[in-house]
Amino acid sequence: MTLKKSTQVCIIGSGPSGLLLSQLLHNEGIDSIILDRQSREGIESRIRAGVLEWGSVEALQQAGVGERMMKEGIPHSGFDIAFDGDRHRIDLEGLTGKQVMIYGQTEITKDLIGKRLAEGCDIVFSATKVQPLNVTDKRPTVTYEKDGEVFEIECDYIAGCDGYHGVSRKTFPASIQKTFERIYPFGWLGVMVEKPPVAHELIYANHSRGFALCSMRSETRSRYYVQCSLNDKVVDWSDERFWEELSIRIGPETAANLQTGDSFEKSIAPLRSFVTEPMRYGNLFLAGDAAHIVPPTGAKGLNLAVADVRLLSRALIEDYKNNNDSHLETYSKTCLKRVWKVERFSWFMSTMLHQFNDFSGFDKKMQRAEFDNIVDSEAAQRNIAENYVGLPLE
Ligand code: APR
Ligand code: PHB
């Protein structure tokens, strides 16, 4: 027997995209159900990046989930780019008048899940066989199974917020879907440690042995990364080896302030650029990682997801409140223009700052010239700063 449910917007995926969308819709009286294949514990323990554009900060505040972020987050006015021992600060605030906020995505997810559940949202965790159906119909459906029972949700719209490995994107007919991808020939090994950060601001470093990033989660918790081979396994990297390698790549002066210790999280992530077009099929709309992936070098993954969801929530609210579907019609086009600009910035930062095995002597000179151009040109710094603090929504 199939158990029936009904809602206005069925959201697939309980990551930051799906949760924030549900919250923004709820704030305008629009009902949603969220389905996720993972457990709540699984979702709340995923470690991801930690830099928020100011637009994302404001969106979370306006949504009513900014309280802990404003207390525990750390505003940053700049960051450093280092190249073979030379270092230059990008003065975000001086160049754009804006800051970014250091606050872990894991914490945002916890804040959102807590608020959504407290407000009575139906979030179905550990749902299996989630499947959008009849998405071009006026009332599409989503089916799933939970605890051995089969459910069917009837809705007006489906939001595919189910990340890169989700089912939503796969529902698009091949005849209308175009995908674009670049796989980078290396990964990032990330380490979390309960020690104060090596510097007050982030440092992105290109060294002849590979990229390194010094980041943080709080005044007492640091997050560090080094570029590694895709063949490497986490067990190949003892803490000792990691600290040694990081120290070399950030240089002796910076490393003199490095507080090392036992890591409590260590993982390797591949780097990928990916976009699927369009972001809408019938009444199914994609948002966040379901539609695009950026390499983490510009700290854009979550911010891009927040921008999509701001646009999608506005479009849905306009449709429900004013019977105006024009923003739904332009959703995909509006998002994709911004998505490609953010893809460009993330690709640019990744290309400038990593060691590529197949780079010629000329390519390496180009990387150095990019860095020298940034150091010598305020216009180049401003362009980086504008992208880093976040491009306008439209
Ligand atoms: N059925 C139901 N849920 C699914 C399915 C499926 N077939 N496939 C994936 N999901 C769920 C995942 O379990 C996950 O909780 O969808 C959610 C997608 O969440 P994210 O991957 O966090 O994607 P998104 O919400 O778009 O967030 C984008 O957060 O994940 C980071 O790197 C990402 O920073 C980016 C931002
Ligand atoms: C992080 O803190 O995890 C982080 C920061 C900046 C990035 C990527 C990751 O560009």
Side-chain angles (χ1 to χ4, degrees), residues 48-51 188 202 204 213 215-217 223 225 296-299 388:
R48 297 267 172 81
V51 180
W188 276 19
L202 271 59
Y204 293 80
L213 170 60
S215 182
M216 65 194 73
R217 289 291 175 276
R223 179 75 166 155
Y225 298 92
T297 325
Y388 201 85

Side-chain angles (χ1 to χ4, degrees), residues 202-223:
L202 271 59
I203 306 170
Y204 293 80
N206 186 346
H207 182 272
S208 55
R209 291 173 67 97
F211 170 80
L213 170 60
C214 304
S215 182
M216 65 194 73
R217 289 291 175 276
S218 70
E219 307 291 356
T220 56
R221 182 174 285 192
S222 303
R223 179 75 166 155

Side-chain angles (χ1 to χ4, degrees), residues 223-330:
R223 179 75 166 155
Y224 297 106
Y225 298 92
V226 293
Q227 174 183 350
C228 66
S229 160
L230 280 173
N231 299 321
D232 283 3
K233 303 270 171 293
V234 170
V235 290
D236 300 333
W237 284 87
S238 63
D239 283 352
E240 201 186 3
R241 179 179 172 203
F242 180 85
W243 295 125
E244 223 172 86
E245 190 61 34
L246 180 69
S247 301
I248 296 172
R249 295 188 191 184
I250 60 179
E253 240 176 86
T254 307
N257 297 321
L258 184 64
Q259 295 198 37
T260 63
D262 295 341
S263 67
F264 65 89
E265 200 270 347
K266 199 185 277 167
S267 53
I268 294 179
L271 274 73
R272 181 195 304 272
S273 299
F274 173 86
V275 180
T276 187
E277 296 183 349
M279 287 170 63
R280 173 195 191 170
Y281 174 53
N283 289 319
L284 168 62
F285 295 83
L286 300 181
D289 276 19
H292 39 70
I293 298 289
V294 284
T297 325
K300 290 294 162 210
L302 172 70
N303 292 300
L304 207 44
V306 171
D308 287 352
V309 164
R310 289 171 73 192
L311 289 166
L312 182 54
S313 62
R314 273 192 207 175
L316 289 167
I317 291 162
E318 190 61 22
D319 182 60
Y320 279 114
K321 297 265 153 161
N322 300 324
N323 210 13
N324 169 13
D325 68 359
S326 67
H327 295 279
L328 287 175
E329 290 297 330
T330 53

